[in-house]
């Protein structure tokens, strides 16, 4: 038998505090929850208070609709509150692929819709007079390996052909050489939470409603639609938008077309004269993304993102260390003050899913699958959904339509890979022998899945030695969760649901907490 956990080592220390810069530099919100009888009926109910949901709600309110936003936690405090907030139509190497799969016109529509989203943020920030640190910057996709030059040359050509102010360059503002890069002018970066809180305030001032701490658990797609929440409250709406990052209802089977991924972020102050003067990303080294934001004492805050991985499948502490080391090596003397993590979903054909929820939908809509580009994608989605609900149809509606024709052929390879990965976790994780054989082996400040009586138990030991046991089965579709040591959370590798150590839901698609161990099934 292993020695008592009290004597075991916990997770290693990491640089900086675990806190999103956007959350730390904006006010908290305290909108009320939906209660029985409150706001009984509206034109449109929006489920989810992130960038897509709040953008859709605000656009609909401006179009004259009565709107209610229902958020399970606090608005702009989930995925949107932990983004890197690059507002750009340059999405790594998307345009060359779109030109091949959707043709030149498809690529042009994608570029136009995304660039118009960038301009919409600029316009609305000015209209509302919000100080959201909006800065115009060029965006770059770069490579340091000469073997990648052909791809970025092709992307520069495809992006320019799609209508963006794009060019191929070999010089950037980065403090290290690159082999080649795509440069797109007139892009932007901003403080997403300040911007979205201003949208919410204006929405409420115009008669709309925002309900926080209101988790929607039921959707009746009747005429009208009816929403129910975990506390038993109901809301009736003519139309419903599901903008919960990952759809919380499975009737459209969109979980088969979405692959969750996480990336880590480290940040620290940088002298203003060392600012690289743009937004940068490379797919090398499991992704490296660089931008800055206004920092303290006239300095800039360097924000570095990377270490692309699937939830619940990686040593997150080690990955944070690698990212911090990379930042320090490329920006010598950098002191990491903050770290956080992002999460997004990739659609199997690379294009977001925005439009009618499923083939039979008449009054329900969805926005998901932004592939790491949720700022421009979410604003685009908000405008697109508002147009569809109010009877308009933008030229790019078919491009993003979740029911799009021809998608099956384009998605086939990625769809099969995703399903194979899910099956591997669903079956393989149950057969795999755990590294930890008993709860006594779980060190303070860590968690592990332990086999107990032939069942999978999620065991967490707090720093004070207190042990909590939960079922290790994700309440979405039953995959086994794994522990994220750096963020102290249980994560599902199949569809990305995340749970706190007490089992409560941090991120969907799960809407129910992990079950107490005595009620669990392995």
């Amino acid at each position: 038998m292993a020695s008592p956990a009290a004597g075991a080592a916990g997770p290693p220390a990491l640089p900086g505090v675990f806190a999103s810069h956007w959350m730390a530099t904006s006010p908290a919100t305290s909108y009320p929850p939906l209660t029985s009888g409150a706001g009984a009926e509206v034109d449109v109910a929006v489920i989810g208070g992130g960038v897509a949901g709040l953008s859709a709600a605000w656009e609909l309110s401006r179009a004259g609709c009565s709107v209610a936003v229902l958020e399970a936690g606090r608005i702009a405090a989930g995925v949107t509150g932990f983004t890197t907030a690059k507002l750009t139509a340059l999405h790594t190497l998307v345009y060359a692929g779109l030109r091949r799969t959707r043709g030149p016109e498809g690529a042009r529509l994608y570029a136009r819709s995304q660039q118009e989203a960038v301009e919409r943020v600029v316009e609305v920030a000015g209209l509302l007079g919000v100080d959201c640190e909006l800065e115009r910057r060029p965006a770059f996709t770069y490579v340091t390996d000469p073997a990648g030059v052909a791809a970025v040359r092709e992307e520069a050509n495809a992006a320019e052909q799609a209508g963006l102010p794009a060019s191929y360059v070999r010089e950037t503002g980065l403090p290290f050489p690159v082999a080649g890069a795509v440069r797109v002018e007139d892009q932007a970066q901003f403080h997403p939470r300040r911007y979205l809180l201003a949208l919410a305030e204006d929405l409420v001032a115009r008669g709309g409603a925002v309900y926080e701490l209101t988790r929607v658990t039921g959707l009746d797609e009747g005429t009208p639609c009816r929403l129910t929440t975990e506390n038993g409250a109901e809301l009736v709406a003519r139309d419903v938008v599901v903008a919960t990052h990952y759809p919380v209802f499975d009737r459209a089977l969109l979980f088969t077309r979405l692959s969750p991924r996480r990336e880590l972020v480290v940040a620290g102050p940088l002298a203003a004269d060392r600012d690289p003067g743009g937004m940068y990303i490379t797919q090398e080294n499991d992704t490296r993304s660089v931008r800055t934001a206004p920092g303290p004492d006239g300095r800039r805050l360097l924000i570095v993102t990377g270490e692309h991985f699937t939830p619940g499948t990686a040593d997150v502490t080690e990955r944070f260390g690698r990212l911090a080391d990379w930042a320090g090596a490329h920006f010598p003397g950098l002191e990491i003050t903050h770290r956080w993590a992002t999460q997004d979903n990739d659609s199997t054909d690379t294009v977001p899913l925005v439009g009618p929820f499923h083939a039979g939908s008449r009054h329900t809509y969805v926005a998901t699958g932004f592939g790491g580009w949720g700022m421009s994608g979410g604003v685009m989605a908000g405008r697109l959904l508002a147009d569809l609900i109010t009877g308009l149809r933008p030229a790019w509606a078919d491009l993003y339509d979740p029911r799009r024709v021809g998608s099956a052929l384009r998605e086939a390879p990625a769809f099969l890979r995703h399903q194979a990965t899910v099956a591997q976790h669903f079956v393989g994780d149950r057969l795999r022998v755990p590294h930890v054989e008993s709860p006594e082996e779980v060190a303070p400040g860590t968690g592990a899945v332990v086999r107990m009586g032939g069942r999978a138990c999620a065991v967490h030991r707090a720093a004070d030695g207190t042990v909590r046991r939960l079922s290790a089965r994700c309440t979405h579709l039953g995959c086994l969760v794994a522990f994220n040591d750096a963020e102290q959370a249980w994560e599902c590798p199949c569809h990305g649901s995340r749970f706190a150590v007490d089992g409560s839901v941090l991120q969907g698609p799960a809407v129910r907490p992990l079950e107490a161990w005595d009620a669990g099934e392995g």
Side-chain angles (χ1 to χ4, degrees):
M1 179 67 67
S3 59
L14 287 169
V17 296
F18 190 83
S20 160
H21 169 69
W22 318 120
M23 297 296 295
T25 55
S26 56
T29 56
S30 58
Y31 291 102
L34 177 68
T35 57
S36 296
E41 187 166 354
V42 293
D43 292 333
V44 187
V46 178
I47 309 173
V51 60
L54 288 172
S55 294
W58 187 84
E59 297 284 358
L60 285 160
S61 176
R62 285 274 166 163
C65 298
S66 61
V67 184
V69 176
L70 299 89
E71 166 57 44
R74 298 293 183 185
I75 60 169
V79 172
T80 300
F82 291 80
T83 179
T84 51
K86 294 194 294 186
L87 187 60
T88 174
L90 179 63
H91 298 170
T92 319
L93 300 176
V94 69
Y95 291 101
L98 285 174
R99 187 167 60 179
R100 288 190 294 270
T101 60
R102 307 298 179 91
E105 181 61 16
R108 279 194 292 271
L109 289 172
Y110 187 94
R112 180 182 163 196
S113 64
Q114 298 292 331
Q115 186 62 39
E116 285 195 7
V118 174
E119 303 305 328
R120 185 59 168 172
V121 172
V122 175
E123 176 188 5
V124 172
L127 178 68
L128 299 182
V130 56
D131 178 12
C132 58
E133 299 178 352
L134 184 68
E135 298 175 312
R136 285 287 199 175
R137 294 291 176 98
F140 298 80
T141 296
Y142 72 92
V143 291
T144 58
D145 185 346
V149 167
V152 295
R153 280 188 180 276
E154 181 185 16
E155 182 68 9
N157 176 268
E160 182 181 29
Q161 186 183 60
L164 295 179
S167 60
Y168 171 77
V169 298
R170 298 188 64 182
E171 299 293 331
T172 73
L174 291 169
F176 53 87
V178 303
V182 185
R183 175 176 175 140
V184 174
E185 308 294 343
D186 299 326
Q187 304 305 288
Q189 56 190 27
F190 72 143
H191 193 303
R193 187 167 158 80
R194 291 183 188 173
Y195 174 79
L196 292 174
L197 295 188
L199 291 190
E201 290 174 5
D202 188 67
L203 169 69
V204 171
R206 298 176 64 82
V210 174
Y211 299 109
E212 295 184 320
L213 305 180
T214 301
R215 186 177 299 280
V216 177
T217 56
L219 168 60
D220 178 356
E221 296 185 63
T223 306
C225 299
R226 188 176 300 275
L227 301 177
T228 54
T229 70
E230 64 182 351
N231 68 356
E234 292 189 351
L235 181 69
V236 174
R238 183 194 66 213
D239 296 291
V240 172
V241 171
V242 180
T244 54
H245 178 63
Y246 200 119
V248 293
F249 303 107
D250 294 331
R251 63 198 64 179
L253 300 181
L254 293 184
F255 65 86
T256 66
R257 299 167 63 187
L258 295 169
S259 300
R261 64 176 164 105
R262 290 180 69 70
E263 290 178 348
L264 307 180
V265 186
V266 295
L270 189 74
D273 60 4
R274 298 179 64 194
D275 187 340
M279 301 174 289
Y280 300 86
I281 190 168
T282 180
Q283 293 178 322
E284 297 173 335
N285 303 315
D286 285 333
T287 305
R288 292 292 184 265
S289 168
V290 174
R291 65 156 286 193
T292 65
D297 306 320
R299 293 178 292 173
R300 302 290 294 180
L301 184 75
L302 181 72
I303 302 171
V304 178
T305 308
E307 294 296 314
H308 178 158
F309 66 97
T310 301
T313 63
D315 185 332
V316 182
T317 295
E318 181 180 334
R319 286 181 175 274
F320 263 121
R322 285 204 296 267
L323 189 63
D325 288 346
W326 186 93
H330 291 80
F331 294 86
L334 179 70
E335 178 187 356
I336 302 299
T337 56
H338 293 78
R339 66 181 189 279
W340 65 92
T342 73
Q343 182 157 327
D344 214 324
N345 299 299
D346 297 313
S347 74
T348 46
D349 72 346
T350 73
V351 176
L353 305 163
V354 183
F357 198 6
H358 53 79
S361 293
R362 295 296 178 268
H363 295 283
T364 53
Y365 301 84
V366 69
T368 187
F370 297 114
W373 300 102
M375 295 297 99
S376 63
V379 173
M380 177 281 299
R383 300 189 74 193
L384 173 55
L385 293 176
D387 283 347
L388 293 176
I389 289 170
T390 56
L392 303 176
R393 190 168 182 83
W396 45 84
D398 288 343
L399 175 70
Y400 294 105
D401 194 327
R403 310 163 302 176
R404 49 195 179 239
V405 176
S407 186
L409 290 177
R410 285 189 293 267
E411 293 182 12
F415 175 85
L416 293 174
R417 286 194 301 271
H418 175 53
Q419 295 313 305
T421 299
V422 171
Q424 177 184 358
H425 286 295
F426 191 84
V427 177
D429 289 354
R430 284 167 165 74
L431 299 177
R432 190 172 297 113
V433 176
H435 296 296
V436 178
E437 297 181 356
S438 71
E440 288 72 24
E441 292 184 49
V442 179
T446 67
V449 174
V450 180
R451 294 287 178 186
M452 297 177 63
R455 296 181 297 171
C457 179
V459 179
H460 175 261
R461 186 181 297 274
D464 64 3
T466 304
V467 175
R468 180 179 274 112
R469 297 176 176 87
L470 302 165
S471 169
R473 290 185 61 189
C474 176
T475 55
H476 175 226
L477 290 178
C479 289
L480 297 187
V481 297
F483 193 67
N484 177 329
D485 56 343
E487 299 180 77
Q488 295 288 292
W490 297 103
E491 298 179 343
C492 175
C494 293
H495 305 110
S497 295
R498 303 181 67 245
F499 306 86
V501 294
D502 65 359
S504 59
V505 178
L506 296 174
Q507 287 177 286
V511 296
R512 292 179 290 111
L514 294 178
E515 296 176 353
W517 171 241
D518 58 3
E521 298 178 3

